Amino acid sequence: MTETRPSNLQIDPQRLWDSLMTMAEIGKTAKGGCNRQTLTDLDREGRLLFRRWVEAIGCTVQVDEMGNMMARRPGKRDDLPPVVIGSHLDTQPTGGKFDGALGVLAGLEVLRTLHDAGYETDHPIMLVNWTNEEGSRFAPAMLSSGVWAGAFTRDFAYARTDRDGKVFGEELERIGFKGDIPCQPQPWKCHLELHIEQGPILEAEGKSIGVVVGGQGIRWYDVVITGKESHAGSTPMPRRKDALVAAAKVITALDALARAHAPYAVATVGEIKIAKPSRNVIPGEVRFSVDLRHPEGAVLDQLEQGLHDAVSEACAAAEMPSNVERIWAFPPVAFDPVCIAAIRDAAQASGHAWREMVSGPGHDSCYTARVVPTAMIFVPCRDGLSHNEEEWTEPEHCAAGAQVLLQAAVQLARAS
Ligand SMILES: [Zn+2]
């Protein structure tokens, strides 16, 4: 019989906060944020500190060929597959102290707590630091968990270049973190990731814990509307083929469409370009991006149809040609019911207010979910702000997330 009651283990909130603040010193910015981009000297420094910390509590560190670091704490039954916890230590150029680092350092706090208590789990526990989650230096994001899950090949990843033409594979070698363990799917028991929400919902509802049941599907489009350039003074309104006015109608229609599929649908036009902009010329060609997200594929299909309809309608009256091209899609992710239940039970036992939710941003967990049972824990961040130097999560929320991670990991590390 598997025991389901929570353990008496308690993380140390102050020690967790100290390790977050110590890690944040590496790459700290004037505005209180963090610039520790992947495969830089600062990333190396952060990795070395991580290694010192986990080795000090008896863990062994393995590095795979993508530079993913895995710190392993043996289990009573070391032949069993590990319960894996973790996140990423790399940041955006104007990143904060919590995005990624919280998941890794809360994982460290879990290992320290088990170590201090002399607590033996049945399954081994492994703490992972994924390489290049952010994707700002080397696109795409979640590159190494993507290779691990088989979404990209290792050689595709090695060939990525940054703005200065530096190559991923060479930079990985230069910082000394190109390991020789193959980066490929492994039979882990599960993958649990604690992360800041990067959105406003938990804070607005006064909840400390988000039990994340899945990730939104994402679809990206490029839209082109072709009107006709003509004189702003002499072309009467009924004779105009104004591509920007049509684009404006599409943008407004998309906003309404997403609101009609509340609460999860979101639609964004983040880039727009007039081909030859001029103050006194009617815009002849307009290109814009569309980003649609929803946790269900069927609803994404409806949103996509809505986009096509909106473009056709906006262009019909003036008979303007248009083109809508889907350039990228990330399918919705459903997390594992057993992992979700373990997190829900841990949240309930912790006494913190919690709710179920889906993740808006992508995470390494969205790739690991393709291979092993996976779920995530969210904690609030101030004003929902992230990828910003002012990103902030209260110490008690960091502690709440780490405590839930500890209990969920301990529960899942029991042999069934
Ligand atoms: Zn992150």
Side-chain angles (χ1 to χ4, degrees):
M1 258 297 273
T2 310
E3 200 187 349
T4 52
R5 66 181 171 76
S7 72
N8 296 323
L9 297 162
Q10 291 287 338
I11 63 110
D12 179 339
Q14 187 60 48
R15 183 172 58 186
L16 169 62
W17 188 254
D18 289 346
S19 40
L20 277 163
M21 294 306 113
T22 305
M23 184 59 77
E25 286 293 309
I26 303 174
K28 80 168 173 189
T29 63
K31 289 187 194 156
C34 218
N35 177 3
R36 197 172 51 243
Q37 292 179 69
T38 196
L39 308 190
T40 57
D41 290 348
L42 290 167
D43 182 20
R44 175 169 189 274
E45 212 181 304
R47 286 163 176 269
L48 293 174
L49 176 60
F50 171 80
R51 173 144 59 192
R52 278 202 302 280
W53 276 341
V54 291
E55 284 179 352
I57 49 171
C59 295
T60 46
V61 178
Q62 294 187 320
V63 181
D64 75 14
E65 55 192 355
M66 284 297 294
N68 298 317
M69 299 175 72
M70 323 261 175
R72 195 170 186 286
R73 182 175 192 269
K76 249 187 271 182
R77 292 188 45 199
D78 218 30
D79 56 312
L80 294 175
V83 166
V84 180
I85 56 179
S87 192
H88 60 96
L89 287 174
D90 69 318
T91 75
Q92 292 282 330
T94 54
K97 302 183 190 79
F98 303 92
D99 174 2
L102 175 62
V104 176
L105 300 176
L108 170 70
E109 182 55 37
V110 167
L111 295 180
R112 284 173 167 170
T113 303
L114 295 172
H115 178 77
D116 287 358
Y119 191 100
E120 282 189 290
T121 52
D122 294 330
H123 288 252
I125 295 195
M126 203 156 77
L127 172 58
V128 59
N129 169 32
W130 293 105
T131 299
N132 190 29
E133 191 277 342
E134 294 291 357
S136 55
R137 184 177 176 206
F138 296 102
M142 305 173 287
L143 184 65
S144 302
S145 52
V147 171
W148 185 87
F152 314 117
T153 65
R154 186 198 64 181
D155 292 342
F156 166 83
Y158 279 178
R160 303 293 88 209
T161 53
D162 70 4
R163 277 177 206 87
D164 303 327
K166 295 206 169 119
V167 182
F168 183 98
E170 291 167 13
E171 287 290 276
L172 183 60
E173 196 147 14
R174 184 186 69 80
I175 68 160
F177 277 88
K178 192 187 233 176
D180 45 20
I181 295 165
C183 182
Q184 62 192 32
Q186 306 285 342
W188 294 346
K189 168 87 190 283
C190 59
H191 180 265
L192 305 178
E193 182 174 8
L194 168 64
H195 205 280
I196 58 169
E197 179 196 345
Q198 304 179 286
I201 297 169
L202 292 173
E203 183 183 56
E205 294 187 359
K207 304 222 158 94
S208 306
I209 297 290
V211 178
V212 188
V213 299
Q216 286 181 319
I218 309 170
R219 294 187 191 176
W220 282 358
Y221 307 84
D222 282 340
V223 181
V224 187
I225 296 176
T226 311
K228 191 169 187 182
E229 282 105 4
S230 61
H231 197 290
S234 55
T235 314
M237 298 309 284
R239 299 184 65 88
R240 292 180 178 218
K241 291 181 187 291
D242 187 329
L244 187 59
V245 170
K249 288 179 183 164
V250 174
I251 295 168
T252 307
L254 284 176
D255 188 77
L257 185 66
R259 288 171 200 272
H261 290 84
Y264 289 131
V266 283
T268 307
V269 174
E271 284 181 42
I272 184 161
K273 223 183 213 160
I274 301 171
K276 293 168 199 145
S278 169
R279 182 182 295 269
N280 53 359
V281 176
I282 294 163
E285 185 189 277
V286 169
R287 292 171 176 269
F288 57 97
S289 64
V290 176
D291 174 314
L292 300 177
R293 301 185 191 216
H294 194 277
E296 292 168 46
V299 179
L300 279 170
D301 290 342
Q302 289 173 28
L303 297 174
E304 180 170 295
Q305 189 55 49
L307 166 62
H308 283 286
D309 293 346
V311 172
S312 306
E313 202 171 307
C315 297
E319 294 179 340
M320 285 184 277
S322 62
N323 186 49
V324 178
E325 189 186 354
R326 191 211 279 186
I327 57 158
W328 182 66
F330 193 92
V333 179
F335 287 150
D336 176 70
V338 174
C339 293
I340 293 168
I343 291 170
R344 201 193 297 120
D345 292 350
Q348 190 62 35
S350 73
H352 294 289
W354 59 275
R355 60 165 281 161
E356 291 194 352
M357 59 197 307
V358 295
S359 175
H363 292 286
D364 292 313
S365 287
C366 296
Y367 279 130
T368 63
R370 295 185 183 186
V371 179
V372 293
T374 294
M376 294 185 74
I377 304 160
F378 278 174
V379 289
C381 54
R382 192 166 63 199
D383 298 329
L385 196 64
S386 182
H387 289 189
N388 186 300
E389 290 161 274
E390 286 167 25
E391 179 184 278
W392 182 258
T393 291
E394 296 297 336
E396 65 262 33
H397 290 147
C398 295
Q403 181 65 25
V404 170
L405 178 66
L406 167 70
Q407 296 294 9
V410 165
Q411 169 59 27
L412 290 163
R414 287 184 176 130
S416 44

